[in-house]
Amino acid sequence: MTDGLPSDGPAVDGLRRDDPQPLYRQIKQRLREQIESGALGTDAKLASERELEKQYGVSRITVRQAVRELVQEGWLHSHPGRGFFVARREETYELHLLRSFTMIAEAHGRAPASRLIEGYVCRAPAEVARPLFLPPGADVVMLKRLRCLDGQPVVLTQDWFAARLVPGILDLDWSTGNRSLYAEVRDRYRLRPDRGRTTMSARLANAEEVELLELTPPAAVLTIEQIAYDPQGRPVNMTFSSHHPLRYPLSLDQRG
């Protein structure tokens, strides 16, 4: 069993059983390479699940997982009853609560980076305490970071956690590289965001946003407020983010 998927038969068409990367991710990478190279052009129809299953020598559920992630990342779109087709690649970024900035950036072939602006422990403001189900005055951790793509600042984020959930998180080195907050929350603190709520709006940028996001005033920013919950419905964290409207436009995939 690999990544929760059932075992497959002998892999073919270049897939490797000894590769630490799961088979569905190997298939996903090959399909994505075909799209990026133009071998599968815009609006081209993807081979059926049955055909991919035979081509790669894997189970249907393995193929389905690979295709599902390509749809989530905007590489494919589904036409019910007709199959999957290569999507038009516009320079927009998926608004997805449970996918990190790093994962989305890398899915677009961009180089993510992060710069720490400030981090501290304080008494929870009312607008943070209520959605995190905390009593007035409870200690919270705030981490503010500037997120960049290919060296350009694109998003300013503030993440809030109940301090008791993430002891020592401010002792980690957030000043260099691209340390993943999602990875630390999952691997170090065993917190598993499972669902959440997102509110999107827009407003004029404040002085800090103008400076850090390299905007020319008066300028607007896209604002996102997100709350993530674990499988038991308990809040994990709350995020406020301001997005550069031209460098980081957002898209939302909706299904009826």
Side-chain angles (χ1 to χ4, degrees), residues 132-249:
L132 291 183
F133 300 170
L134 296 174
D139 284 345
V140 290
V141 173
M142 194 286 291
L143 196 63
K144 181 186 289 187
R145 295 174 297 158
L146 183 65
R147 316 308 303 274
C148 301
L149 290 178
D150 299 336
Q152 290 189 315
V154 294
V155 185
L156 182 63
T157 64
Q158 293 183 61
D159 284 283
W160 296 83
F161 294 85
R164 60 180 174 77
L165 294 179
V166 288
I169 196 169
L170 295 180
D171 296 331
L172 303 177
D173 185 4
W174 297 99
S175 62
T176 58
N178 190 48
R179 181 186 290 272
S180 171
L181 180 60
Y182 267 51
E184 296 293 344
V185 166
R186 181 186 65 244
D187 300 335
R188 185 180 298 270
Y189 298 106
R190 300 294 188 265
L191 300 173
R192 305 283 178 175
D194 177 75
R195 60 182 180 83
R197 187 182 75 234
T198 298
T199 304
M200 178 188 295
S201 188
R203 57 169 170 75
L204 288 176
N206 60 35
E208 180 183 46
E209 291 162 342
V210 166
E211 178 184 358
L212 293 176
L213 295 176
E214 300 177 351
L215 296 166
T216 301
V221 288
L222 302 174
T223 61
I224 306 295
E225 177 184 314
Q226 295 180 310
I227 305 172
Y229 302 92
D230 69 12
Q232 288 71 47
R234 297 170 299 201
V236 173
N237 75 308
M238 185 174 189
T239 302
F240 298 99
S241 58
S242 305
H243 298 242
H244 193 298
L246 299 179
R247 293 178 181 171
Y248 203 84

Side-chain angles (χ1 to χ4, degrees), residues 5 19 25 33 36 40 60 66 92 103-105 127 132 142 144 161 163 171 204 229 250:
L5 298 179
D19 193 317
R25 288 183 183 166
E33 288 171 355
E36 290 181 311
L40 280 173
R60 183 71 58 89
T92 62
M103 294 173 67
I104 293 172
E127 66 270 20
L132 291 183
M142 194 286 291
K144 181 186 289 187
F161 294 85
D171 296 331
L204 288 176
Y229 302 92
L250 297 170

